Amino acid sequence: MKKRILIGICAALLLTSCAHEYNQVYKTTNNDYKYEFAKECFAKGKYSFAVPLLQSLVTVEKGTDNAQECLYMLAMAEYGLKDYQAASETFKKYYQTYPRGQYAEMASFYIGQSLFEGTPEPRLDQTPTIAAIAAFQDYLDIFPNGKMKGTAQQRLFDLQDKLIRKEYINARLYYNLGSYFGNCTSGGNNYEACIITAQNALNDYPYSNLREDFAILVMKSKFELAQMSVDAKKLQRFQDAEDECYGFINEYPESKERKTAEEYIKKCKEITKD
């Protein structure tokens, strides 16, 4: 017990001592000393100490031999603190200021990486995901043989997968809403919206691992759309649904929804046989 108390007291004294030293350094007008202290904090992973020091130094070090390293360290420290929005902006500032600088390639990569870390889950707005894709594509265009090429390409796949999942969530939502018309302000209906959303996703991402899931939604939506159609459109829509079911079976003969497709075909033929 006494040992734990002693360790606690020592830790508190150490923290107090460190805080006191940090405050002295932050207030000093000796920029060289402040810069070396900031570098030491950065090297030890004390990013919360390094960031304010580096922020205060970025302007005064501009034009000096330390300017590039100072700005790049600031971006990396912000990234280390998981302040990804600030980090992406600082990396961007570095690259725009020093496009041929010592850290230009890594700064370009980390613009995308910072945005990548801040992307939301698929059900939310994917504007940040689109920005991250653009940033990684810029990196690959500028540094086609860059040392982070493999990672950047994998990040693009991961981000595109997130966009695909967003589209699937949207299409499935339309299907689940079904015949509910409360959200159909432009005269369409949810099944048509599901079909359009799913087919666009299939066209945009032809090699997606959700391809079959989209196809299932299209097939089911076309059948439900035919079921609820007015007489003038019923025959055409049942024919379309029947064709969709045959196409689905041909492309996915082992699908868990094959029986559903076969049942749909039987019901469609009751309308289309004549």
Side-chain angles (χ1 to χ4, degrees):
M1 184 67 177
K2 290 182 179 179
K3 186 177 181 180
R4 289 182 181 177
I5 293 173
L6 181 60
I7 291 173
I9 292 172
C10 290
L13 289 172
L14 181 61
L15 289 172
T16 302
S17 175
C18 289
H20 178 69
E21 182 182 12
Y22 171 78
N23 288 333
Q24 285 186 319
V25 172
Y26 186 79
K27 294 175 182 178
T28 185
T29 56
N30 186 336
N31 292 324
D32 290 335
Y33 178 60
K34 184 184 289 189
Y35 183 69
E36 291 303 319
F37 189 85
K39 285 179 66 175
E40 183 179 344
C41 290
F42 178 82
K44 292 180 178 179
K46 297 179 179 179
Y47 303 127
S48 58
F49 283 177
V51 166
L53 294 174
L54 291 167
Q55 285 175 333
S56 70
L57 286 165
V58 164
T59 302
V60 297
E61 292 292 336
K62 192 172 183 179
T64 71
D65 293 338
N66 296 330
Q68 286 194 48
E69 186 179 42
C70 183
L71 187 57
Y72 184 72
M73 273 198 301
L74 173 59
M76 289 300 296
E78 290 169 337
Y79 182 84
L81 288 175
K82 299 183 179 181
D83 188 351
Y84 298 123
Q85 182 62 41
S88 67
E89 291 300 322
T90 307
F91 283 121
K92 187 182 297 183
K93 181 179 179 181
Y94 176 93
Y95 186 77
Q96 290 173 344
T97 307
Y98 308 106
R100 297 186 180 182
Q102 181 180 355
Y103 307 103
E105 181 185 336
M106 293 307 296
S108 177
F109 170 79
Y110 270 104
I111 294 170
Q113 181 64 22
S114 298
L115 292 170
F116 172 82
E117 294 290 356
T119 54
E121 58 182 290
R123 67 183 181 84
L124 300 176
D125 176 57
Q126 292 302 303
T127 300
T129 301
I130 295 170
I133 288 173
F136 279 123
Q137 192 59 62
D138 285 344
Y139 169 77
L140 291 171
D141 290 343
I142 298 168
F143 303 98
N145 298 309
K147 57 186 176 181
M148 302 303 292
K149 177 181 178 180
T151 302
Q153 290 174 329
Q154 184 57 54
R155 292 289 186 267
L156 284 176
F157 293 142
D158 294 339
L159 291 164
Q160 286 174 351
D161 185 61
K162 190 170 285 192
L163 292 182
I164 295 167
R165 291 187 179 279
K166 172 66 173 177
E167 291 304 302
Y168 179 71
I169 289 169
N170 289 342
R172 189 176 60 189
L173 176 61
Y174 284 128
Y175 178 78
N176 290 338
L177 286 170
S179 58
Y180 173 68
F181 286 95
N183 65 317
C184 300
T185 57
S186 58
N189 69 62
N190 294 306
Y191 291 124
E192 287 178 318
C194 176
I195 293 166
I196 292 169
T197 302
Q199 288 180 332
N200 286 341
L202 287 170
N203 291 332
D204 292 340
Y205 310 104
Y207 304 109
S208 167
N209 58 8
L210 291 176
R211 183 174 178 82
E212 181 180 343
D213 299 276
F214 281 115
I216 290 169
L217 287 176
V218 172
M219 177 183 69
K220 288 184 175 181
S221 292
K222 285 192 174 184
F223 179 78
E224 295 295 343
L225 184 61
Q227 291 269 78
M228 64 184 290
S229 294
V230 296
D231 289 341
K233 296 181 178 180
K234 192 176 288 289
L235 177 60
Q236 179 184 346
R237 285 181 172 174
F238 270 109
Q239 289 173 336
D240 190 24
E242 185 178 342
D243 290 342
E244 190 69 36
C245 291
Y246 278 121
F248 179 82
I249 291 172
N250 288 335
E251 187 168 358
Y252 306 102
E254 305 299 323
S255 174
K256 62 183 180 181
E257 294 289 350
R258 179 179 178 129
K259 288 185 178 180
T260 302
E262 291 171 344
E263 286 297 318
Y264 284 171
I265 290 172
K266 290 179 184 178
K267 292 179 180 179
C268 287
K269 284 188 178 299
E270 293 175 5
I271 305 297
T272 63
K273 63 183 179 181
D274 297 331

